[in-house]
Amino acid sequence: MANKPIDIVYPLGEGLSNFRNQEIMFSLRSVEKHLTGYRNIFIIGFKPTFLNEKIIHIPHKDNPYFNKERRIMEKFKKACSIPEISDKFLMFNDDYFFTKPLNVQKIPYYNKGTLDGSVKKRKTGSVYRHSLENTYNALKEKGYGTKHFDIHYPMYYDKKKFPEVMAMYDWENARNGFVIKSLYANTLKIKGVYRHDCKIMGLVTKKEEVIKQIKDYDMFSTSEITRAIIGILREMYPDKSIYEV
């Protein structure tokens, strides 16, 4: 039986990042260079002007009263309502950069340990720590597992199951929201595969340092986008993708 089509969906917030959304430009260059097995690429939210009509744009206006995690979640709920998007799609973030050939049909569900373990490593009082704690407590209360699936790596979402899972949790009263991938995968009792999160820290300034850190991985992400990181990405992915004007 042939594999069903898989679309890629990027959520993108309104406005420009510190580096004019160049992150997604280099992410798309890495996708075109290394990935196979996908059909169309969608952006839900804001579309930078340097992208052409080969990217399918679904406008979505953020609610300014929603927290960051909920704004992202609402974009993926919107994706689930779009008939043209495949029944199972891959969520991407704009800071995912691929380095080796990969068929998207074969991507596993990755986790990086447990939510409570990650909470302990986070600075007390940080927004993301609070989101992790909310997720851990909500899952535990319902008797679900508490693995940490919010690793910097794509994940499959099912268009029917995603909104059903999100509706099971109290987004209205959860200050700082929940971490979405962990909420989704644990609720569906997905076991997942452990993987170290390959994340390049913002202090890295040379391409050689990045190459050394990513040599055993098929993709990497970044802790933050800096001028040095943009320069390294420009070296790694110099050629325009078919998605650029």
Side-chain angles (χ1 to χ4, degrees), residues 223-236:
S223 63
E224 60 180 312
I225 298 294
T226 62
R227 191 173 303 280
I229 292 291
I230 288 292
I232 292 166
L233 292 172
R234 190 172 288 118
E235 285 187 59
M236 294 179 69

Side-chain angles (χ1 to χ4, degrees), residues 8-218:
I8 291 171
V9 177
Y10 284 90
L12 204 60
E14 296 173 10
L16 297 172
S17 70
N18 291 338
F19 291 92
R20 304 185 67 81
N21 293 115
Q22 290 185 74
E23 304 96 303
I24 195 168
M25 180 177 74
F26 292 115
S27 179
L28 288 165
R29 289 182 184 186
S30 78
V31 167
E32 183 182 68
K33 183 176 181 179
H34 294 293
L35 299 196
T36 56
Y38 63 93
R39 183 176 60 175
N40 295 316
I41 299 181
F42 291 79
I43 286 181
I44 309 289
F46 175 77
K47 181 183 177 183
T49 56
F50 57 75
L51 297 179
N52 61 32
E53 70 285 349
K54 288 185 172 65
I55 288 283
I56 305 173
H57 178 220
I58 308 296
H60 177 83
K61 189 170 181 59
D62 285 329
N63 186 323
Y65 298 104
F66 289 167
N67 57 63
K68 176 184 176 181
E69 301 298 332
R70 184 167 181 184
R71 290 197 297 270
I72 296 170
M73 184 273 289
E74 294 290 346
K75 289 186 181 73
F76 285 123
K77 273 180 61 179
K78 179 71 169 281
C80 292
S81 72
I82 305 300
E84 291 78 14
I85 294 178
S86 56
D87 291 340
K88 185 173 75 170
F89 63 86
L90 268 175
M91 63 73 56
F92 272 48
N93 285 331
D94 60 358
D95 60 348
Y96 290 177
F97 309 106
F98 294 85
T99 60
K100 297 179 182 178
L102 180 66
N103 188 314
V104 301
Q105 303 274 351
K106 298 177 181 178
I107 291 177
Y109 287 87
Y110 284 120
N111 70 72
K112 58 177 179 178
T114 61
L115 286 166
D116 55 329
S118 293
V119 166
K120 293 170 185 175
K121 296 175 184 177
R122 289 279 168 174
K123 182 179 179 181
T124 301
S126 74
V127 170
Y128 192 65
R129 175 172 174 152
H130 194 207
S131 302
L132 291 171
E133 289 174 332
N134 287 346
T135 310
Y136 174 78
N137 292 331
L139 288 166
K140 197 166 185 181
E141 182 180 334
K142 291 183 181 295
Y144 294 125
T146 56
K147 289 181 180 177
H148 193 346
F149 284 89
D150 283 82
I151 185 170
H152 292 81
Y153 208 88
M155 177 183 276
Y156 301 108
Y157 287 151
D158 181 285
K159 284 170 64 178
K160 181 175 184 296
K161 294 176 182 176
F162 183 86
E164 292 175 351
V165 169
M166 295 302 120
M168 294 171 60
Y169 297 93
D170 187 6
W171 286 87
E172 293 295 330
N173 297 302
R175 185 170 63 89
N176 297 325
F178 306 98
V179 289
I180 304 164
K181 293 158 81 174
S182 296
L183 210 63
Y184 179 81
N186 283 298
T187 302
L188 295 178
K189 300 181 180 179
I190 295 168
K191 292 182 179 180
V193 177
Y194 178 81
R195 175 190 168 101
H196 178 73
D197 205 352
C198 187
K199 193 173 180 182
I200 305 301
M201 305 311 289
L203 296 177
V204 170
T205 58
K206 295 181 180 179
K207 180 181 175 183
E208 293 73 22
E209 296 176 64
V210 173
I211 297 299
K212 183 178 178 181
Q213 291 188 43
I214 68 176
K215 65 183 179 65
D216 296 324
Y217 296 92
D218 51 19

